[in-house]
Amino acid sequence: MSARPHIVTAALIRTMDDAVPSARAMAVLGDRIVAVGAPGELRERFPGAEVRDHGDAVLVPGFNDAHQHLVDMAVTVDQVDAGELADSRAMLAALAQRSARTPPGRWVRAFRYDETRGDGPQITRADLDRVSVEHPILVTQVSDHWGVLNTPALELAGLDRHGDGVVTELELFRLAWSDDAVVDLPSTDEHIDGIAELTRRYHAAGITSVGDALVTAGQLALYREARRRGRLSVRVTALIDAVHVEEYLAAGVGSGFGDEWLRVGGFKAFVDGAVAGRSCLLEQPFEGSGEHGVRVTPTEELRELFRRVHLAGSALAVHANGDRAIGELLDVVEGVLRESGDTGPVQPHRIEHCSVLTPELVRRIRAAGLAVVPFGGYVGAHGSKLLAWYGAERLRRMFAHRWLLDHGVPVGGSSDYSTSPYEPLAALRGMTTRESSDGTVLGAEQRVSAAEALWVYTVGSATVAGEGHYKGRLAPGYLADYVVLGADPLAVPVGDLADIPVLRTVVGGTEVWGG
Ligand SMILES: [Zn+2]
């Protein structure tokens, strides 16, 4: 069997390859790019090849969201999306409707609840009990680091000590997203349908690869099943929940295991709480309070885990948001690297989010050889409450893309969906303008250019996952993963980046979405 090449032409191909930054044609054989150049030259070189012409459109490498939660959010695609509703009252009404259509005893859920949205009151267990005591109810706040349960849900979770129904951090993760979750888990068929549906939305936004930033053993098996059934059309790099680290390492499964569709990127651990949950671990307290946020993993435990993963040649991706959390993580990393010499991993260890920085922390991150995966769209998505909680001064050193790129730190693009919207073009707008939804500019000194923002969401995301040698650029030998855009992201005013139409999305030479 000999596959035949095809030629893709467009007004402009932004390759992100320094050797040939722009072109008008590329030749694709199977799932790979084999040549980039001028249309006439490639037609001559590949006579008889089919030509797919995209006319005036502009091609860029497929967007890669290096940290989001596809397999978890696939469960909620048909639940109440509070992010689409005006306030908590509207959410409670939607939950009541949902309960009325749900058999008693089955769970009812809402996600992306934002207690600062609109003027509805902050909800409690009592509000959810008024919705229904026939159904266990879980509402997860937009950070996914805390949630509210009604009384039946608390009873099922064995947590009736929580008077207001609030459950936080690891306790919430275990009850909602672990392999022995208390919430109803969908059947394999339903869950795979959910993955396919959320993936379809991602493709419509130009996404061709994702990092799934917390994957359990059961969820990895589910991804494999989705792929076996031909239902996985986005490339997934899985960060395995560190609770499984011993089983995986004993089986020789670590960073790099898998293939271009489903690959283990490393293991995932946590230092602190969340930016959008107002619980990250800070040096200076939250504005107008004495609270410094929370540490969720004892430092000694983190040190043992990092040492174990590092010496096994795998990468650890550690969630650390606040400047105190990042400093404590760096103490651990520097100590272990010092004692273990250069038995480095096959790919960089990562700091996930890495939200509140100082120049000194950036210098230490660079010196330790770490990669970082900051939020791309938080200023746009969460602007006004960030100002109230963190203050304008601190926002000048949050989501510090400018500092990190200037220091040569590998930076990936991330929505952390569902904690902010998944559309990469909206994140490009946020990173270039630093404008919140009400137009306020927060931390203008961390702005990057459109070219840099595009680099972060393509080359950068591939690099932080150890995949930069075959993904993220449109160059010979690279995967034919690309997006067909209605305008050049490097030519439109940065304020218009989010409005660029995504016309088509192609993964491995095959169209997965066409608008
Ligand atoms: Zn996350």
Side-chain angles (χ1 to χ4, degrees):
M1 187 189 99
S2 68
R4 288 164 56 84
H6 66 267
I7 295 169
V8 180
T9 58
L12 175 64
I13 302 176
R14 295 260 179 220
T15 67
M16 306 309 284
D17 176 18
D18 292 340
V20 184
S22 62
R24 293 207 41 228
M26 61 186 184
V28 175
L29 181 63
D31 65 357
R32 299 267 168 174
I33 295 161
V34 291
V36 174
E41 175 198 330
L42 295 190
R43 267 192 224 103
E44 209 165 284
R45 206 169 133 194
F46 301 96
E50 177 207 347
V51 176
R52 300 178 191 170
D53 179 33
H54 294 291
D56 292 341
V58 176
L59 267 59
V60 299
F63 298 128
N64 183 340
D65 191 336
H67 178 137
Q68 53 72 64
H69 295 279
L70 172 59
V71 75
D72 285 339
M73 289 309 133
V75 173
T76 44
V77 284
D78 66 342
Q79 296 288 346
V80 174
D81 183 353
E84 299 293 323
L85 301 170
D87 61 15
S88 62
R89 285 190 198 90
M91 180 184 72
L92 291 171
L95 281 167
Q97 280 176 8
R98 178 96 208 157
S99 300
R101 293 187 275 121
T102 303
R106 298 296 305 264
W107 283 72
V108 172
R109 295 179 60 176
F111 65 108
R112 295 211 296 155
Y113 160 57
D114 183 342
E115 75 281 18
T116 69
R117 197 181 175 97
D119 54 7
Q122 182 154 342
I123 60 157
T124 65
R125 161 194 193 150
D127 295 313
L128 297 181
D129 282 348
R130 274 191 290 277
V131 168
S132 173
V133 286
E134 305 290 308
H135 306 83
I137 302 176
L138 167 62
V139 172
T140 39
Q141 193 260 2
V142 64
S143 69
D144 289 334
H145 278 244
W146 61 270
V148 186
L149 300 181
N150 70 348
T151 300
L154 286 162
E155 281 167 8
L156 285 171
L159 294 173
D160 42 7
R161 66 183 186 275
H162 293 262
D164 59 359
V166 172
V167 174
T168 64
E169 305 297 338
L170 302 182
E171 201 163 62
L172 173 65
F173 301 168
R174 300 299 168 233
L175 89 88
W177 296 297
S178 71
D179 284 348
D180 34 41
V182 181
V183 299
D184 288 334
L185 290 177
S187 68
T188 298
D189 287 355
E190 289 165 344
H191 205 157
I192 289 175
D193 285 347
I195 290 173
E197 169 56 23
L198 186 49
T199 297
R200 190 189 61 74
R201 298 178 198 173
Y202 282 5
H203 288 329
I207 294 171
T208 58
S209 281
V210 294
D212 194 318
L214 193 64
V215 176
T216 66
Q219 290 172 332
L220 190 64
L222 188 77
Y223 271 131
R224 291 202 67 184
E225 180 61 14
R227 180 163 177 219
R228 195 186 66 78
R229 296 183 187 185
R231 302 289 304 281
L232 193 65
S233 61
V234 68
R235 301 185 194 279
V236 176
T237 303
L239 297 178
I240 305 295
D241 187 335
V243 298
H244 299 291
V245 75
E246 290 307 330
E247 311 152 52
Y248 275 73
L249 291 181
V253 177
S255 297
F257 186 85
D259 62 17
E260 291 135 8
W261 282 101
L262 179 57
R263 184 176 167 278
V264 172
F267 298 93
K268 167 77 180 291
F270 292 83
V271 178
D272 66 341
V275 165
R278 198 179 172 279
S279 57
C280 63
L281 188 62
L282 297 169
E283 293 291 358
Q284 286 87 38
F286 287 94
E287 293 296 296
S289 85
E291 299 162 42
H292 288 264
V294 298
R295 183 184 295 99
V296 301
T297 309
T299 303
E300 258 329 291
E301 197 179 303
L302 186 68
R303 191 188 319 278
E304 283 315 305
L305 176 67
F306 181 71
R307 183 184 288 123
R308 180 82 181 96
V309 172
H310 177 71
L311 292 177
S314 266
L316 191 67
V318 189
H319 165 119
N321 268 309
D323 42 7
R324 181 170 291 177
I326 296 164
E328 291 184 1
L329 172 62
L330 284 164
D331 291 343
V332 165
V333 168
E334 289 162 352
V336 171
L337 294 184
R338 217 170 15 244
E339 72 190 26
S340 62
D342 61 354
T343 55
V346 291
Q347 63 190 61
H349 299 296
R350 298 166 37 162
I351 307 181
E352 306 301 302
H353 316 321
C354 202
S355 298
V356 186
L357 282 168
T358 63
E360 175 61 7
L361 289 172
V362 174
R363 190 198 60 71
R364 292 173 66 191
I365 288 166
R366 169 68 184 162
L370 301 178
V372 299
V373 184
F375 300 115
Y378 260 35
V379 169
H382 294 297
S384 54
K385 67 174 162 292
L386 295 180
L387 193 56
W389 294 349
Y390 298 92
E393 273 312 302
R394 188 157 30 196
L395 273 156
R396 297 161 66 136
R397 49 191 185 87
M398 289 179 70
F399 327 118
H401 290 96
R402 176 77 276 146
W403 284 352
L404 291 162
L405 289 174
D406 285 349
H407 282 77
V409 175
V411 180
S414 160
S415 70
D416 197 29
Y417 183 74
S418 60
T419 84
S420 75
Y422 53 75
E423 288 87 351
L425 285 165
L428 263 54
R429 183 187 189 282
M431 292 160 68
T432 50
T433 64
R434 296 284 295 201
E435 243 175 62
S436 74
S437 54
D438 65 6
T440 315
V441 173
L442 301 169
E445 43 277 270
Q446 299 296 348
R447 280 177 179 153
V448 300
S449 70
E452 289 168 324
L454 181 61
W455 186 96
V456 164
Y457 264 85
T458 55
V459 182
S461 288
T463 304
V464 300
E467 299 164 352
H469 52 296
Y470 64 88
K471 203 193 267 186
R473 297 180 173 88
L474 301 177
Y478 278 66
L479 292 167
D481 298 353
Y482 57 89
V483 198
V484 183
L485 298 176
D488 179 5
L490 274 51
V492 302
V494 290
D496 296 343
L497 277 165
D499 306 319
I500 295 178
V502 174
L503 304 176
R504 289 174 197 284
T505 302
V506 175
V507 181
T510 300
E511 187 172 304
V512 292
W513 192 81

